[in-house]
PDB file of all heavy atoms in Angstrom:
ATOM      1  N   ALA A 996      98.795  88.492  97.552  1.00 93.00           N
ATOM      2  CA  ALA A 996      98.426  87.071  97.649  1.00 93.00           C
ATOM      3  C   ALA A 996      97.078  86.832  96.990  1.00 93.00           C
ATOM      4  O   ALA A 996      96.235  87.736  96.889  1.00 93.00           O
ATOM      5  CB  ALA A 996      98.377  86.640  99.109  1.00 93.00           C
ATOM      6  N   ASP A1137      99.514  96.813 102.360  1.00 86.00           N
ATOM      7  CA  ASP A1137      99.907  98.230 102.394  1.00 86.00           C
ATOM      8  C   ASP A1137     101.307  98.409 102.962  1.00 86.00           C
ATOM      9  O   ASP A1137     101.605  99.399 103.622  1.00 86.00           O
ATOM     10  CB  ASP A1137      98.903  99.044 103.203  1.00 86.00           C
ATOM     11  CG  ASP A1137      98.774  98.563 104.646  1.00 86.00           C
ATOM     12  OD1 ASP A1137      99.478  97.600 105.016  1.00 86.00           O
ATOM     13  OD2 ASP A1137      97.987  99.154 105.409  1.00 86.00           O
ATOM     14  N   ARG A1143     110.320  95.414  90.167  1.00 96.00           N
ATOM     15  CA  ARG A1143     110.902  94.150  89.724  1.00 96.00           C
ATOM     16  C   ARG A1143     111.400  94.316  88.305  1.00 96.00           C
ATOM     17  O   ARG A1143     110.661  94.765  87.426  1.00 96.00           O
ATOM     18  CB  ARG A1143     109.872  93.026  89.807  1.00 96.00           C
ATOM     19  CG  ARG A1143     109.335  92.801  91.219  1.00 96.00           C
ATOM     20  CD  ARG A1143     108.174  91.851  91.244  1.00 96.00           C
ATOM     21  NE  ARG A1143     107.598  91.742  92.586  1.00 96.00           N
ATOM     22  CZ  ARG A1143     106.466  91.103  92.862  1.00 96.00           C
ATOM     23  NH1 ARG A1143     105.793  90.506  91.887  1.00 96.00           N
ATOM     24  NH2 ARG A1143     106.013  91.067  94.112  1.00 96.00           N
ATOM     25  N   PHE A1189     119.261  88.624  85.015  1.00 95.00           N
ATOM     26  CA  PHE A1189     119.015  88.159  86.373  1.00 95.00           C
ATOM     27  C   PHE A1189     117.890  88.991  87.011  1.00 95.00           C
ATOM     28  O   PHE A1189     117.854  90.216  86.849  1.00 95.00           O
ATOM     29  CB  PHE A1189     120.280  88.293  87.221  1.00 95.00           C
ATOM     30  CG  PHE A1189     121.395  87.378  86.811  1.00 95.00           C
ATOM     31  CD1 PHE A1189     122.199  87.682  85.722  1.00 95.00           C
ATOM     32  CD2 PHE A1189     121.646  86.203  87.505  1.00 95.00           C
ATOM     33  CE1 PHE A1189     123.223  86.850  85.341  1.00 95.00           C
ATOM     34  CE2 PHE A1189     122.672  85.359  87.130  1.00 95.00           C
ATOM     35  CZ  PHE A1189     123.475  85.678  86.050  1.00 95.00           C
TER      36      PHE A1189
END
Side-chain angles (χ1 to χ4, degrees):
D1137 59 1
R1143 300 171 185 171
F1189 293 79

